[in-house]
Amino acid sequence: MHIIIKTILVGVGATFAMDIWSFILSVFNIKSLDYRFVGRWIGNMPNGQFFHKNISNSAPIKSELIIGWAAHYSIGICFAFLMLAIYGKSWFEKPYLFPALVIGITTIIAPFYLMQPAFGFGLAGANFPEPNSVRLKSFMAHLVYGIGLYATVVLINFLISKITS
């Protein structure tokens, strides 16, 4: 049970690191993903709509922002479990940065090949006016997620060592 709780906390922490990164970008007027679109996408799935021409033009749904943020953190937690599945419990006990970066960067597959096409933004954001800018922002956000995986597990291990000593 300990590793499950730890993995959930690591997923939350890594996702929060992405949100801090997004906030820093917003200070410089650099936009990132609007989680309303994630909520709108998920909220339309029960109606059989999985793809949009342009999700920003699709009708809003009730509670889409809440759904989007809940999905954002749920996905972040799932990717932390991917870390556990690939690198095992030992990484959570003695973490090192490289595997966390690999997982973080690998998670870019989801927005590039699933979400952005489903939103009508094209494969890897190809339909955006400046797709390389969108790709770079997405890459950086997922790199920060990987750093967040590592930093969160190091912090948790430090706190556990202080509590148990």
Side-chain angles (χ1 to χ4, degrees):
M1 189 58 143
H2 173 260
I3 192 64
I4 291 171
I5 293 169
K6 194 175 198 180
T7 305
I8 291 169
L9 291 174
V10 168
V12 168
T15 306
F16 186 66
M18 286 181 80
D19 295 336
I20 292 170
W21 175 252
S22 180
F23 174 76
I24 291 168
L25 291 178
S26 75
V27 169
F28 297 100
N29 233 8
I30 300 171
K31 291 183 179 185
S32 61
L33 177 62
D34 185 341
Y35 292 108
R36 287 179 306 137
F37 296 149
V38 177
R40 191 173 298 173
W41 179 51
I42 292 168
N44 279 294
M45 287 180 181
N47 302 328
Q49 185 174 12
F50 297 93
F51 295 93
H52 299 257
K53 284 187 179 184
N54 184 331
I55 200 158
S56 57
N57 296 332
S58 296
I61 65 156
K62 185 179 180 186
S63 304
E64 64 184 22
L65 186 58
I66 294 168
I67 295 167
W69 276 98
H72 172 58
Y73 273 85
S74 297
I75 292 165
I77 291 166
C78 288
F79 284 143
F81 276 99
L82 179 64
M83 185 83 189
L84 178 62
I86 293 173
Y87 294 102
K89 183 179 174 183
S90 63
W91 181 86
F92 284 80
E93 294 166 357
K94 293 187 181 183
Y96 50 105
L97 185 58
F98 183 74
L101 293 178
V102 169
I103 293 295
I105 293 168
T106 302
T107 62
I108 205 167
I109 292 169
F112 277 8
Y113 299 102
L114 176 65
M115 295 173 74
Q116 289 173 0
F119 290 5
F121 301 154
L123 198 62
N127 294 346
F128 281 105
E130 295 181 32
N132 287 334
S133 172
V134 171
R135 292 172 187 141
L136 178 61
K137 286 192 290 187
S138 195
F139 175 82
M140 291 302 297
H142 288 262
L143 181 65
V144 167
Y145 175 82
I147 293 167
L149 286 170
Y150 175 75
T152 303
V153 79
V154 167
L155 176 62
I156 290 169
N157 288 345
F158 173 78
L159 293 173
I160 290 171
S161 74
K162 291 298 179 190
I163 291 169
T164 58
S165 63

